[in-house]
């Protein structure tokens, strides 16, 4: 039994990053254990038969698999003892407001992941690791996926222009999910910030939060982050 | 404003089917409107910019996009007036139990969909519709995806053997999600039931529930369901 909560993650996994942000925003302490998800190690499969990240093993509690189960579990936590001090809800507002948060979480962790983040990570990171750096990305795939990213950037800019935060008046898990994906893509220098000013302003705001600092300190071998990655005034 | 709740769906969309089962189990009445998701009609995009199904427009209420937002919204409904009579919770049990339900919902609507259902629907239904019946499925893809299905059937059989229902002692949205996917695959004659007896027994049990009847009456043009599809003693 672990002596504290442990989060099994990969540094550039967007689902893992959204949960790191979530736990930090809620002031829930945790230790990190890194897995390379493409290795499907037996130790990971034993914790999560799906072989997916992140996995949150709560001290003296259950093992929670995936950002969906984890986020809803900690969102139910207002009345219990995981939290060390008051933190605002991450599915805020009315029931209708929460449906909007969840629609957008689904958008970022489902659609944006499928159409952009997972493809770029596979082409530029995972495959190179699996093949010890010998794999060149498929240029045609990258071109198509970068075009998809422009569509998603437009939508994020539209939301950021209309609203205080992406799902409404308050910051929510939708912001954390979107920021998690964009932070992975930004690490890889893939985000055309200049063309989507409201998205850039929103991202600069969320990036300057204390919860974001550990992500900005992450580096992975073989891929250098661009100079603006950790710059709060990028 | 619609005079009753309306669910925009496609007959063989597994996410839509899980919500049809959910609403029927909760005794929430609704009218169906069919969309062909591969057409991305402006009317669908206006309701759900993601262009995905299902979409639930509540009478006098919000428009809910996607099985995640819909299922969590109606799960919060115990204290409100959507429900006409008592129905058991679909995220039953303790907070830990609900995390297990959500892990498995994620498995079926995420992993099983990605590795099997979406691929088979694309190869055998969607592409043929888009090309007016002229498209032959890619045999290599079908072979790989059928192999994936065996792995998922093993896991469902394992869960069904260990537990009363897939996530625990009570029926939950995890059962409805799994049954929704298997019902689509079964319509296409893709499920090797004979080799996974505990899964077959579990499916026969859920298939015999009144909520399942409308799904068993569905037919789509160009693809005949096998004889056992609507047979409760298959």
């Amino acid at each position: 039994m672990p002596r504290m909560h442990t989060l099994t993650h990969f540094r550039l996994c967007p689902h893992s990053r959204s949960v790191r942000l979530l736990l930090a925003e809620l002031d829930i302490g945790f230790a990190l254990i890194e897995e390379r998800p493409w290795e499907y190690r037996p130790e990971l499969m034993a914790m999560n038969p799906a072989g997916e990240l992140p996995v949150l093993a709560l001290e003296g509690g259950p093992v929670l698999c995936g950002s969906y189960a984890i986020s809803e579990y900690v969102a139910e936590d207002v009345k219990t003892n995981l939290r060390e001090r008051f933190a605002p809800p991450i599915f805020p507002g009315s029931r209708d407001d929460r449906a909007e948060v969840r629609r957008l979480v689904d958008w970022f962790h489902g659609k944006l992941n499928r159409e952009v983040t997972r493809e770029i990570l596979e082409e530029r990171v995972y495959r190179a690791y699996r093949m010890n750096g010998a794999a060149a990305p498929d240029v045609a795939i990258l071109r198509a996926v970068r075009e998809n990213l422009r569509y998603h950037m437009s939508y994020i800019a539209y939301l950021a222009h209309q609203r205080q935060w992406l799902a409404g008046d308050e910051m929510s898990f939708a912001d954390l999910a979107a920021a998690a994906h964009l932070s992975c893509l930004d690490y890889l220098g893939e985000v055309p910030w200049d063309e989507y000013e409201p998205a850039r302003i929103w991202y600069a705001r969320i990036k300057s939060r204390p919860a974001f600092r550990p992500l900005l300190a992450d580096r992975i071998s073989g891929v250098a982050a661009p100079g603006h990655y950790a710059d709060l005034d990028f």
Side-chain angles (χ1 to χ4, degrees), chain A:
Chain A
M1 193 64 65
R3 300 283 294 280
M4 67 181 300
H5 310 318
T6 57
L7 184 72
T8 303
H9 81 127
F10 175 66
R11 269 168 285 181
L12 281 193
C13 161
H15 295 89
S16 300
R17 284 189 158 211
S18 73
V19 169
R20 289 166 69 193
L21 291 172
L22 172 64
L23 298 176
E25 285 289 344
L26 296 182
D27 208 27
I28 299 170
F30 60 99
L32 284 171
I33 297 174
E34 190 155 77
E35 274 287 338
R36 296 174 163 198
W38 58 89
E39 290 180 351
Y40 293 100
R41 294 196 318 129
E43 292 83 351
L44 174 60
M45 305 305 284
M47 277 200 302
N48 182 4
E52 291 170 3
L53 298 175
V55 179
L56 178 63
L58 291 172
E59 181 186 352
V63 173
L64 305 173
C65 299
S67 59
Y68 171 35
I70 294 170
S71 61
E72 294 289 344
Y73 189 94
V74 302
E76 283 192 30
D77 190 47
V78 182
K79 302 181 210 73
T80 61
N81 61 353
L82 271 184
R83 220 174 265 189
E84 285 155 26
R85 60 165 174 76
F86 173 78
I90 50 140
F91 292 90
S94 69
R95 197 155 65 124
D96 292 8
D97 296 333
R98 286 191 290 279
E100 177 65 358
V101 172
R102 290 179 175 122
R103 176 181 78 82
L104 290 174
V105 169
D106 211 12
W107 183 297
F108 300 123
H109 272 344
K111 187 177 175 70
L112 172 61
N113 186 57
R114 193 169 64 240
E115 296 175 353
V116 182
T117 324
R118 195 177 54 190
E119 295 290 330
I120 287 186
L121 284 172
E122 172 61 28
E123 291 300 319
R124 293 200 45 201
V125 180
Y126 290 9
R127 193 189 301 156
Y129 267 108
R130 272 201 307 265
M131 303 178 73
N132 282 319
D138 184 317
V139 177
I141 290 179
L142 283 182
R143 191 180 307 123
V145 165
R146 285 170 181 154
E147 197 55 39
N148 291 346
L149 176 56
R150 292 183 172 277
Y151 155 78
H152 284 278
M153 290 304 294
S154 293
Y155 192 56
I156 292 169
Y158 163 80
L159 293 172
H161 182 70
Q162 301 281 328
R163 300 167 170 180
Q164 186 72 10
W165 295 93
L166 296 188
D169 290 339
E170 295 174 69
M171 194 186 75
S172 74
F173 191 51
D175 295 282
L176 304 184
H181 284 267
L182 290 186
S183 72
C184 295
L185 296 166
D186 195 40
Y187 184 95
L188 298 170
E190 292 283 355
V191 185
W193 291 114
D194 290 347
E195 298 164 52
Y196 303 95
E197 187 64 9
R200 196 192 60 73
I201 293 168
W202 160 83
Y203 186 68
R205 193 149 40 103
I206 201 162
K207 187 178 172 180
S208 67
R209 297 176 72 87
F212 226 91
R213 275 181 215 146
L215 276 63
L216 300 180
D218 280 347
R219 294 294 179 275
I220 63 166
S221 63
V223 188
H228 71 262
Y229 171 70
D231 181 359
L232 298 184
D233 298 310
F234 69 114

